[in-house]
Amino acid sequence: MSDRAALLKGIRAWLVLFVVCLVLSGATAFPLVHELRWTEEVLRSLGAPEHLPALMEWIERVRDGLDAADAEYPFLLYGTDWLAFAHLVIAVAFYGPYRDPVRNVWVVEFGIIACAGIISLALVCGPVRGIPFWWSVIDMAFGVFGMIPLYAVRKKIKRLEALTPYPVPVPAASA
């Protein structure tokens, strides 16, 4: 396998991993109410209330809030539907670098910037919304772990770019 083919294969593998995680992250925002009830049941069955009381208190509080919103103000949950949709749309954008990594490296760079933005958002909005700091750290981890494959992809794309001979553009004729 040539260096170019190996780089392309690595780029595509990392992008597939990133897109799958992005789609899963988005898809889990649709059934949020049911998902949180299920999570609470699983955590209870695993003994989390005795071992992780702060986590259980937080899960119960969030579930109570979601249940109330679902019962009285279901339109509020429409916001999480849009969050899910945004994840899916962003995932589609990564088809560009999958198809032509060098030309579409900007999508990967946009993704890295977005991952950094997750950290800023969690640090600023978390305290404003009453989110426990330890939960904000979990949120920030999504940004950090999202950057890892994107950084690897960007490095590989830059190496691929160095291997790719591009024709020198011919100046347009003046009229």
Side-chain angles (χ1 to χ4, degrees):
M1 184 181 313
S2 71
D3 286 347
R4 183 170 162 51
L7 282 170
L8 198 54
K9 184 178 180 179
I11 289 166
R12 287 180 172 161
W14 277 112
L15 285 172
V16 166
L17 173 69
F18 183 79
V19 166
V20 165
C21 291
L22 195 55
V23 167
L24 289 174
S25 179
T28 60
F30 285 116
L32 204 54
V33 173
H34 305 292
E35 196 174 67
L36 197 56
R37 288 181 193 144
W38 176 81
T39 300
E40 184 179 13
E41 288 172 21
V42 168
L43 288 173
R44 285 190 187 291
S45 71
L46 294 173
E50 299 93 47
H51 304 294
L52 300 167
L55 173 64
M56 284 309 298
E57 287 172 19
W58 176 246
I59 295 292
E60 289 168 5
R61 181 167 186 224
V62 172
R63 194 227 344 109
D64 287 345
L66 282 173
D67 284 345
D70 191 35
E72 296 294 321
Y73 311 103
F75 53 86
L76 290 175
L77 298 176
Y78 190 52
T80 61
D81 296 337
W82 278 105
L83 170 70
F85 178 72
H87 278 76
L88 302 177
V89 169
I90 293 167
V92 170
F94 282 90
Y95 177 68
Y98 183 90
R99 210 182 79 218
D100 187 346
V102 173
R103 182 176 288 170
N104 294 295
V105 67
W106 70 271
V107 176
V108 174
E109 292 167 344
F110 163 79
I112 291 169
I113 293 166
C115 286
I118 291 170
I119 297 164
S120 304
L121 181 85
L123 286 172
V124 172
C125 295
V128 169
R129 301 289 186 203
I131 307 298
F133 181 72
W134 57 266
W135 193 266
S136 292
V137 170
I138 292 170
D139 290 338
M140 287 185 274
F142 281 93
V144 172
F145 290 123
M147 268 191 241
I148 292 169
L150 293 178
Y151 181 73
V153 166
R154 187 180 183 285
K155 279 180 62 173
K156 288 178 182 291
I157 290 173
K158 291 301 179 180
R159 289 199 342 242
L160 181 64
E161 183 178 35
L163 292 175
T164 306
Y166 283 98
V168 177
V170 178
S174 350

PDB file of all heavy atoms in Angstrom, residues 137-155:
ATOM      1  N   VAL A 137     -17.586  18.875  33.776  1.00  0.00           N
ATOM      2  CA  VAL A 137     -16.340  18.202  33.385  1.00  0.00           C
ATOM      3  C   VAL A 137     -16.656  17.050  32.423  1.00  0.00           C
ATOM      4  O   VAL A 137     -15.940  16.846  31.433  1.00  0.00           O
ATOM      5  CB  VAL A 137     -15.559  17.700  34.627  1.00  0.00           C
ATOM      6  CG1 VAL A 137     -14.405  16.797  34.236  1.00  0.00           C
ATOM      7  CG2 VAL A 137     -15.053  18.888  35.440  1.00  0.00           C
ATOM      8  N   ILE A 138     -17.736  16.329  32.687  1.00  0.00           N
ATOM      9  CA  ILE A 138     -18.150  15.260  31.767  1.00  0.00           C
ATOM     10  C   ILE A 138     -18.491  15.859  30.404  1.00  0.00           C
ATOM     11  O   ILE A 138     -18.074  15.339  29.367  1.00  0.00           O
ATOM     12  CB  ILE A 138     -19.344  14.473  32.346  1.00  0.00           C
ATOM     13  CG1 ILE A 138     -18.914  13.687  33.578  1.00  0.00           C
ATOM     14  CG2 ILE A 138     -19.960  13.540  31.293  1.00  0.00           C
ATOM     15  CD1 ILE A 138     -20.051  13.075  34.378  1.00  0.00           C
ATOM     16  N   ASP A 139     -19.219  16.963  30.405  1.00  0.00           N
ATOM     17  CA  ASP A 139     -19.546  17.634  29.142  1.00  0.00           C
ATOM     18  C   ASP A 139     -18.282  18.071  28.419  1.00  0.00           C
ATOM     19  O   ASP A 139     -18.158  17.901  27.199  1.00  0.00           O
ATOM     20  CB  ASP A 139     -20.454  18.835  29.387  1.00  0.00           C
ATOM     21  CG  ASP A 139     -21.855  18.434  29.811  1.00  0.00           C
ATOM     22  OD1 ASP A 139     -22.258  17.288  29.535  1.00  0.00           O
ATOM     23  OD2 ASP A 139     -22.548  19.275  30.413  1.00  0.00           O
ATOM     24  N   MET A 140     -17.337  18.650  29.153  1.00  0.00           N
ATOM     25  CA  MET A 140     -16.087  19.105  28.539  1.00  0.00           C
ATOM     26  C   MET A 140     -15.304  17.935  27.952  1.00  0.00           C
ATOM     27  O   MET A 140     -14.600  18.096  26.945  1.00  0.00           O
ATOM     28  CB  MET A 140     -15.237  19.860  29.558  1.00  0.00           C
ATOM     29  CG  MET A 140     -15.790  21.227  29.889  1.00  0.00           C
ATOM     30  SD  MET A 140     -14.721  22.173  30.993  1.00  0.00           S
ATOM     31  CE  MET A 140     -15.255  21.586  32.596  1.00  0.00           C
ATOM     32  N   ALA A 141     -15.451  16.758  28.556  1.00  0.00           N
ATOM     33  CA  ALA A 141     -14.743  15.581  28.040  1.00  0.00           C
ATOM     34  C   ALA A 141     -15.178  15.257  26.609  1.00  0.00           C
ATOM     35  O   ALA A 141     -14.373  14.776  25.806  1.00  0.00           O
ATOM     36  CB  ALA A 141     -14.976  14.380  28.958  1.00  0.00           C
ATOM     37  N   PHE A 142     -16.446  15.551  26.267  1.00  0.00           N
ATOM     38  CA  PHE A 142     -16.891  15.333  24.890  1.00  0.00           C
ATOM     39  C   PHE A 142     -16.072  16.188  23.927  1.00  0.00           C
ATOM     40  O   PHE A 142     -15.710  15.750  22.841  1.00  0.00           O
ATOM     41  CB  PHE A 142     -18.391  15.636  24.737  1.00  0.00           C
ATOM     42  CG  PHE A 142     -19.272  14.542  25.220  1.00  0.00           C
ATOM     43  CD1 PHE A 142     -19.747  14.552  26.528  1.00  0.00           C
ATOM     44  CD2 PHE A 142     -19.626  13.504  24.390  1.00  0.00           C
ATOM     45  CE1 PHE A 142     -20.567  13.536  26.994  1.00  0.00           C
ATOM     46  CE2 PHE A 142     -20.452  12.483  24.841  1.00  0.00           C
ATOM     47  CZ  PHE A 142     -20.916  12.493  26.145  1.00  0.00           C
ATOM     48  N   GLY A 143     -15.785  17.419  24.327  1.00  0.00           N
ATOM     49  CA  GLY A 143     -14.961  18.283  23.492  1.00  0.00           C
ATOM     50  C   GLY A 143     -13.537  17.776  23.373  1.00  0.00           C
ATOM     51  O   GLY A 143     -12.966  17.725  22.285  1.00  0.00           O
ATOM     52  N   VAL A 144     -12.971  17.372  24.494  1.00  0.00           N
ATOM     53  CA  VAL A 144     -11.597  16.869  24.488  1.00  0.00           C
ATOM     54  C   VAL A 144     -11.509  15.584  23.666  1.00  0.00           C
ATOM     55  O   VAL A 144     -10.644  15.454  22.789  1.00  0.00           O
ATOM     56  CB  VAL A 144     -11.096  16.624  25.930  1.00  0.00           C
ATOM     57  CG1 VAL A 144      -9.755  15.914  25.932  1.00  0.00           C
ATOM     58  CG2 VAL A 144     -11.011  17.940  26.690  1.00  0.00           C
ATOM     59  N   PHE A 145     -12.421  14.645  23.916  1.00  0.00           N
ATOM     60  CA  PHE A 145     -12.362  13.371  23.187  1.00  0.00           C
ATOM     61  C   PHE A 145     -12.759  13.525  21.720  1.00  0.00           C
ATOM     62  O   PHE A 145     -12.340  12.735  20.888  1.00  0.00           O
ATOM     63  CB  PHE A 145     -13.208  12.308  23.887  1.00  0.00           C
ATOM     64  CG  PHE A 145     -12.617  11.854  25.189  1.00  0.00           C
ATOM     65  CD1 PHE A 145     -13.352  11.945  26.360  1.00  0.00           C
ATOM     66  CD2 PHE A 145     -11.323  11.372  25.256  1.00  0.00           C
ATOM     67  CE1 PHE A 145     -12.804  11.543  27.572  1.00  0.00           C
ATOM     68  CE2 PHE A 145     -10.764  10.978  26.465  1.00  0.00           C
ATOM     69  CZ  PHE A 145     -11.511  11.062  27.617  1.00  0.00           C
ATOM     70  N   GLY A 146     -13.542  14.556  21.405  1.00  0.00           N
ATOM     71  CA  GLY A 146     -13.838  14.829  20.004  1.00  0.00           C
ATOM     72  C   GLY A 146     -12.638  15.386  19.266  1.00  0.00           C
ATOM     73  O   GLY A 146     -12.443  15.123  18.077  1.00  0.00           O
ATOM     74  N   MET A 147     -11.831  16.168  19.979  1.00  0.00           N
ATOM     75  CA  MET A 147     -10.644  16.746  19.349  1.00  0.00           C
ATOM     76  C   MET A 147      -9.598  15.702  18.993  1.00  0.00           C
ATOM     77  O   MET A 147      -8.858  15.884  18.028  1.00  0.00           O
ATOM     78  CB  MET A 147     -10.006  17.770  20.290  1.00  0.00           C
ATOM     79  CG  MET A 147     -10.488  19.156  20.081  1.00  0.00           C
ATOM     80  SD  MET A 147      -9.461  20.308  20.993  1.00  0.00           S
ATOM     81  CE  MET A 147     -10.674  21.001  22.078  1.00  0.00           C
ATOM     82  N   ILE A 148      -9.516  14.633  19.746  1.00  0.00           N
ATOM     83  CA  ILE A 148      -8.456  13.635  19.530  1.00  0.00           C
ATOM     84  C   ILE A 148      -8.506  13.057  18.121  1.00  0.00           C
ATOM     85  O   ILE A 148      -7.513  13.138  17.390  1.00  0.00           O
ATOM     86  CB  ILE A 148      -8.489  12.545  20.627  1.00  0.00           C
ATOM     87  CG1 ILE A 148      -8.095  13.157  21.968  1.00  0.00           C
ATOM     88  CG2 ILE A 148      -7.585  11.367  20.260  1.00  0.00           C
ATOM     89  CD1 ILE A 148      -8.335  12.270  23.168  1.00  0.00           C
ATOM     90  N   PRO A 149      -9.638  12.487  17.673  1.00  0.00           N
ATOM     91  CA  PRO A 149      -9.644  11.964  16.304  1.00  0.00           C
ATOM     92  C   PRO A 149      -9.517  13.068  15.259  1.00  0.00           C
ATOM     93  O   PRO A 149      -8.868  12.869  14.221  1.00  0.00           O
ATOM     94  CB  PRO A 149     -10.976  11.230  16.179  1.00  0.00           C
ATOM     95  CG  PRO A 149     -11.823  11.736  17.274  1.00  0.00           C
ATOM     96  CD  PRO A 149     -10.905  12.200  18.363  1.00  0.00           C
ATOM     97  N   LEU A 150     -10.097  14.229  15.529  1.00  0.00           N
ATOM     98  CA  LEU A 150     -10.020  15.310  14.546  1.00  0.00           C
ATOM     99  C   LEU A 150      -8.591  15.830  14.402  1.00  0.00           C
ATOM    100  O   LEU A 150      -8.147  16.155  13.289  1.00  0.00           O
ATOM    101  CB  LEU A 150     -10.980  16.439  14.907  1.00  0.00           C
ATOM    102  CG  LEU A 150     -12.459  16.080  14.815  1.00  0.00           C
ATOM    103  CD1 LEU A 150     -13.321  17.260  15.233  1.00  0.00           C
ATOM    104  CD2 LEU A 150     -12.820  15.601  13.425  1.00  0.00           C
ATOM    105  N   TYR A 151      -7.874  15.911  15.491  1.00  0.00           N
ATOM    106  CA  TYR A 151      -6.473  16.338  15.426  1.00  0.00           C
ATOM    107  C   TYR A 151      -5.650  15.306  14.649  1.00  0.00           C
ATOM    108  O   TYR A 151      -4.826  15.669  13.806  1.00  0.00           O
ATOM    109  CB  TYR A 151      -5.910  16.552  16.832  1.00  0.00           C
ATOM    110  CG  TYR A 151      -4.481  17.006  16.820  1.00  0.00           C
ATOM    111  CD1 TYR A 151      -4.155  18.312  16.434  1.00  0.00           C
ATOM    112  CD2 TYR A 151      -3.442  16.146  17.170  1.00  0.00           C
ATOM    113  CE1 TYR A 151      -2.841  18.731  16.403  1.00  0.00           C
ATOM    114  CE2 TYR A 151      -2.126  16.566  17.136  1.00  0.00           C
ATOM    115  CZ  TYR A 151      -1.822  17.865  16.759  1.00  0.00           C
ATOM    116  OH  TYR A 151      -0.519  18.273  16.712  1.00  0.00           O
ATOM    117  N   ALA A 152      -5.900  14.033  14.916  1.00  0.00           N
ATOM    118  CA  ALA A 152      -5.193  12.972  14.180  1.00  0.00           C
ATOM    119  C   ALA A 152      -5.505  13.060  12.689  1.00  0.00           C
ATOM    120  O   ALA A 152      -4.612  12.916  11.842  1.00  0.00           O
ATOM    121  CB  ALA A 152      -5.568  11.595  14.733  1.00  0.00           C
ATOM    122  N   VAL A 153      -6.768  13.316  12.357  1.00  0.00           N
ATOM    123  CA  VAL A 153      -7.173  13.446  10.953  1.00  0.00           C
ATOM    124  C   VAL A 153      -6.487  14.642  10.315  1.00  0.00           C
ATOM    125  O   VAL A 153      -5.962  14.553   9.201  1.00  0.00           O
ATOM    126  CB  VAL A 153      -8.715  13.573  10.836  1.00  0.00           C
ATOM    127  CG1 VAL A 153      -9.127  14.053   9.460  1.00  0.00           C
ATOM    128  CG2 VAL A 153      -9.378  12.235  11.142  1.00  0.00           C
ATOM    129  N   ARG A 154      -6.466  15.765  11.006  1.00  0.00           N
ATOM    130  CA  ARG A 154      -5.842  16.964  10.442  1.00  0.00           C
ATOM    131  C   ARG A 154      -4.361  16.727  10.156  1.00  0.00           C
ATOM    132  O   ARG A 154      -3.848  17.129   9.104  1.00  0.00           O
ATOM    133  CB  ARG A 154      -6.014  18.160  11.374  1.00  0.00           C
ATOM    134  CG  ARG A 154      -5.533  19.454  10.748  1.00  0.00           C
ATOM    135  CD  ARG A 154      -5.708  20.654  11.670  1.00  0.00           C
ATOM    136  NE  ARG A 154      -5.307  21.865  11.003  1.00  0.00           N
ATOM    137  CZ  ARG A 154      -4.042  22.227  10.777  1.00  0.00           C
ATOM    138  NH1 ARG A 154      -3.050  21.451  11.149  1.00  0.00           N
ATOM    139  NH2 ARG A 154      -3.767  23.372  10.157  1.00  0.00           N
ATOM    140  N   LYS A 155      -3.675  16.094  11.086  1.00  0.00           N
ATOM    141  CA  LYS A 155      -2.245  15.796  10.862  1.00  0.00           C
ATOM    142  C   LYS A 155      -2.065  14.914   9.632  1.00  0.00           C
ATOM    143  O   LYS A 155      -1.185  15.148   8.803  1.00  0.00           O
ATOM    144  CB  LYS A 155      -1.645  15.110  12.097  1.00  0.00           C
ATOM    145  CG  LYS A 155      -1.261  16.065  13.200  1.00  0.00           C
ATOM    146  CD  LYS A 155      -0.676  15.355  14.391  1.00  0.00           C
ATOM    147  CE  LYS A 155       0.603  14.629  14.037  1.00  0.00           C
ATOM    148  NZ  LYS A 155       1.291  14.070  15.201  1.00  0.00           N
TER     149      LYS A 155
END
